[in-house]
Structures are given as structure tokens and as C-alpha cells.
Amino acid sequence: MRGDETITRRPRRPHVISPALLSSAVHPLDANLADMGDRDNRSERVSRLLLKHRAPLYGFIFSCLRNHSDSDDVLQDVALAVTQSIDALRSDEEFLPWSREIARRRVLDGSRDVAAAVEREEILQSEGVPRVVRPPDGRVTIG
């Protein structure tokens, strides 16, 4: 742009609201706002309950797994499951037993996955398929 040019802007048109919208008793977005408010209340409830019961819930998960990394993963899965199904919780006093049951099921699911992986590994070894090993340095060795 050269220095002698000026920028001209189009004047903004005023926002026009339809008379029907003005005369209606309920704005069409009010229902959406109410839903958003419910969603906010639910997320606040979940956050409050998870913060309150995080330590005993993590302790329970860790006592089952004895591994901090796996325990963190399960706690994250539980938090997601709790968030998605918080409406099923009848009262806040039942949160810890309810979330512990969700955690117990996640731990068992993980144990089944590990058992299935061990079983697959044993089958592959019995069939003579070489095992692929990935050491921490990232180099892949077969043996």
C-alpha cells in the first residue's frame, strides 16, 4: 500500500431483530442457555467431587496396580467415565463407592488386556515367531 492511499470502510449496517422475535415470550436461545447452565453445573459437580475424593480413589487404584503410570492412566479413564455418567449418581455421598466400582472395573479390564497380551505372546513363541524387543533407546532388535 502506498502512503497516499486511504482505507475506506463500509459503514456497518445496524443489526435488525425481527418483530416476531421481539414479541415472543421465550427467546429461542433460552433453552440452549439453560442446557449450558445444566452442563456447567454438572461439570462443577464432577470437578468438586473428583478433587474431594482424588486421594482415596488414587490410593485404591494404586493398591490394585502398584504402578504410578498405570494408576494415573486408570484415574484419567475413571474421571472421563464419571464425567460422562454423572447423571446416574443419585447423591454426592455415594460418589466414592460409585467411582471406586468404576475404577475396579477399569483395573479388571486392564488386567484382562494384559492377560490376553501374555497369552498372544506365548502363542507366538510356541509357533516360533521371533519376539520384537524395543529397548529404551528406541532401537528395535529381534530375538
Side-chain angles (χ1 to χ4, degrees):
M1 177 190 281
R2 292 181 297 177
D4 59 342
E5 291 181 14
T6 59
I7 299 175
T8 58
R9 297 181 190 259
R10 284 189 239 159
R12 292 185 180 210
R13 294 189 310 189
H15 184 69
V16 178
I17 300 174
S18 72
L21 187 59
L22 287 173
S23 66
S24 66
V26 178
H27 190 281
L29 297 178
D30 285 348
N32 291 339
L33 291 174
D35 289 344
M36 287 173 54
D38 290 344
R39 211 172 321 142
D40 289 343
N41 289 340
R42 284 194 302 265
S43 67
E44 286 176 15
R45 181 182 181 205
V46 169
S47 297
R48 181 176 40 81
L49 291 169
L50 281 171
L51 286 173
K52 179 179 178 182
H53 298 288
R54 183 191 183 285
L57 188 57
Y58 184 83
F60 170 74
I61 295 167
F62 184 77
S63 72
C64 295
L65 298 175
R66 301 284 182 198
N67 179 308
H68 286 292
S69 177
D70 292 342
S71 298
D72 289 339
D73 291 344
V74 170
L75 183 62
Q76 186 174 2
D77 289 345
V78 169
L80 181 62
V82 163
T83 301
Q84 292 171 342
S85 59
I86 191 68
D87 292 330
L89 183 64
R90 290 178 289 230
S91 73
D92 290 358
E93 290 77 28
E94 297 174 358
F95 179 81
L96 186 57
W98 178 67
S99 59
R100 282 180 59 155
E101 180 61 23
I102 293 171
R104 186 182 73 81
R105 291 177 186 206
R106 292 291 190 269
V107 167
L108 290 175
D109 289 345
S111 298
R112 289 185 194 113
D113 293 343
V114 169
V118 168
E119 184 178 341
R120 283 191 302 272
E121 182 67 31
E122 289 171 354
I123 291 170
L124 290 174
Q125 285 181 355
S126 70
E127 293 176 358
V129 176
R131 182 172 181 224
V132 176
V133 180
R134 289 184 195 261
D137 64 4
R139 289 181 282 158
V140 175
T141 58
I142 299 179

